[in-house]
Amino acid sequence: MGPWSSKGPKVQQARVLLLGLDGAGKSTLLYQLSLAQRMATLPTVGFNVETLEWDRGLWVTLWDVGGQEKMRTVWGCYCEHADGLLYVVDSSDLPRLEASRRALERLLQNDHLKHVPVVILANKQDVEGALGAEDLTRRFRIQKLCSDRSWYVQPCSGLSGDGLAQGFQKLVAFVKSHRKSRAALAFFKPT
Ligand code: G3D
């Protein structure tokens, strides 16, 4: 996916990765988004790609790549040209929290994701005992992990859809401002 289009009827495009361990709720969240927004689905093997119109004229392509251990090794291949990352955590799966944190840590080391904004979706808030946003922030040491980028932790539920639009909106806002600051930097860069 190319950068925001600067020509024509102001159609903008963004490429967003939707990642997280298997079972975190990625497909469910993608389905919830599809209920709320106009979507174009491209049938794929191994991953799902959905393009949805968020605001008028803003099309976001979401790449939902499998989270099984084997698939995690190829996450890096999808990072090029990413504008944002939605990282889904099953906040109720306490035994796998550390594996999820490590997977995120590894992911953020990818050069293509340098400074790319992240919204962490603390999913499954409807499950009793699920960690809230503050606890997850602490357990994931997110301030340290994401010190070089914009980040936000959004509690949500894939079952009800609660919190999902807010998380997505936050990421879109980050992506827009990240794009602006990159463009400004390029403008002022000495030749
Ligand atoms: P994945 O795409 O990340 O692998 P899925 O995860 O979307 O397939 O979700 C895995 C399981 O978690 C599914 O249950 C799904 O219904 C459930 N799930 C997703 N989001 C939520 C949530 O917010 N709350 C609860 N309680 N469950 C959720 P099954 O039973 O189909 O495996």
Side-chain angles (χ1 to χ4, degrees):
M1 181 69 59
W4 305 100
S5 169
S6 57
K7 292 187 201 144
K10 290 277 176 240
V11 171
Q12 298 182 327
Q13 295 176 343
R15 176 186 164 108
V16 168
L17 300 173
L18 181 67
L19 299 175
L21 298 191
D22 50 303
K26 299 177 296 297
S27 312
T28 309
L29 292 171
L30 203 55
Y31 174 71
Q32 282 287 352
L33 277 170
S34 75
L35 294 179
Q37 309 295 330
R38 195 146 64 99
M39 273 227 180
T41 303
L42 189 71
T44 48
V45 178
F47 55 91
N48 299 309
V49 183
E50 303 277 4
T51 300
L52 61 91
E53 189 176 26
W54 185 248
D55 295 324
R56 256 184 57 198
L58 168 58
W59 286 87
V60 180
T61 301
L62 276 158
W63 292 72
D64 162 16
V65 185
Q68 297 90 343
E69 211 161 340
K70 264 193 185 156
M71 286 303 290
R72 274 177 247 158
T73 60
V74 300
W75 279 358
C77 307
Y78 296 87
C79 292
E80 207 174 344
H81 304 306
D83 294 296
L85 169 65
L86 282 172
Y87 190 78
V88 185
V89 179
D90 179 344
S91 323
S92 70
D93 189 357
L94 304 188
R96 291 217 301 166
L97 271 186
E98 180 54 22
S100 179
R101 191 201 67 78
R102 264 189 276 114
L104 176 62
E105 185 176 43
R106 261 199 311 276
L107 186 62
L108 296 182
Q109 284 162 1
N110 187 297
D111 274 349
H112 295 299
L113 291 187
K114 220 171 179 183
H115 308 306
V116 165
V118 179
V119 167
I120 290 145
L121 294 171
N123 195 29
K124 307 201 185 180
Q125 289 298 312
D126 57 288
V127 178
E128 211 184 317
L131 283 189
E134 262 182 44
D135 282 337
L136 196 71
T137 303
R138 207 172 319 115
R139 290 281 283 267
F140 268 47
R141 302 190 284 284
I142 290 171
Q143 271 174 344
K144 187 165 176 232
L145 215 57
C146 297
S147 58
D148 63 338
R149 70 192 75 228
S150 302
W151 62 270
Y152 189 72
V153 180
Q154 173 68 48
C156 70
S157 164
L159 282 195
S160 64
D162 288 350
L164 180 56
Q166 290 90 326
F168 200 76
Q169 188 62 53
K170 193 81 188 173
L171 187 70
V172 167
F174 281 158
V175 167
K176 284 181 176 174
S177 87
H178 181 54
R179 281 229 169 243
K180 269 193 199 150
S181 49
R182 270 208 323 218
L185 269 180
F187 184 77
F188 288 114
K189 211 171 169 181
T191 48

